[in-house]
Amino acid sequence: MSCNTSVTRVQLPPAVDQVPRVPVHLMPCEIEHDGPAQVSQYLTATTKDCKQEKTVSFRGRGLKGQELSCPQGYTGLVLKEINKPGSDQEDRTVKLTSTFDKLTYWNLETPTNSDDTVVMAMDWPELAEAIHGPVED
């Protein structure tokens, strides 16, 4: 039995606290663009008064979204791959380009809910701590 392993290296800038914080949108589609975009020019959300729900139209399709905060004590990282490996067994290198503390998660035409995997992922660190943390008497 052979074991193929690869390593992912993260290049950090000298002053991590000076990396820019950026707004992040997680879209329910694939957009063939890597890099910054003028999101505020093309994607202006309206927020309903009664909920935290946001609505937009993107290329004629209705999107419904919700702003999610990173779990307490966590920071989101935006990484850019420097060299793309040719296979899963090759090492890869990424660099830190920006950070975020919240993101807007979008669904296609249906409101986000607590069963969405991204919403559940934001609750995981707190749940993991409850499961694996020390037990108090």
Side-chain angles (χ1 to χ4, degrees), residues 60-132:
R61 300 291 303 265
L63 299 179
K64 296 189 183 218
Q66 176 183 354
E67 192 169 85
L68 302 172
S69 295
C70 291
Q72 179 129 6
Y74 288 79
T75 298
L77 305 177
V78 178
L79 304 171
K80 181 173 184 170
E81 193 160 40
I82 294 173
N83 60 330
K84 294 192 179 213
S87 72
D88 292 344
Q89 287 77 35
E90 293 180 49
D91 293 351
R92 60 183 4 137
T93 303
V94 296
K95 71 176 186 175
L96 176 63
T97 60
S98 53
T99 63
F100 61 93
D101 55 2
K102 59 187 172 188
L103 65 99
T104 305
Y105 168 61
W106 297 99
N107 269 345
L108 185 61
E109 298 177 347
T110 59
T112 59
N113 65 57
S114 60
D115 291 335
D116 289 347
T117 55
V118 174
V119 176
M120 289 190 297
M122 293 300 179
D123 292 333
W124 177 248
E126 187 177 333
L127 180 60
E129 176 62 30
I131 293 170
H132 302 289

Side-chain angles (χ1 to χ4, degrees), residues 23-88:
V24 172
H25 293 264
L26 183 57
M27 304 288 286
C29 59
E30 186 173 325
I31 299 172
E32 292 187 23
H33 173 71
D34 249 348
Q38 296 175 339
V39 174
S40 60
Q41 182 178 350
Y42 299 107
L43 193 73
T44 304
T46 58
T47 306
K48 292 185 177 179
D49 294 333
C50 60
K51 299 180 182 178
Q52 297 289 66
E53 182 181 297
K54 297 179 177 217
T55 58
V56 296
S57 176
F58 182 72
R59 295 187 174 174
R61 300 291 303 265
L63 299 179
K64 296 189 183 218
Q66 176 183 354
E67 192 169 85
L68 302 172
S69 295
C70 291
Q72 179 129 6
Y74 288 79
T75 298
L77 305 177
V78 178
L79 304 171
K80 181 173 184 170
E81 193 160 40
I82 294 173
N83 60 330
K84 294 192 179 213
S87 72
D88 292 344

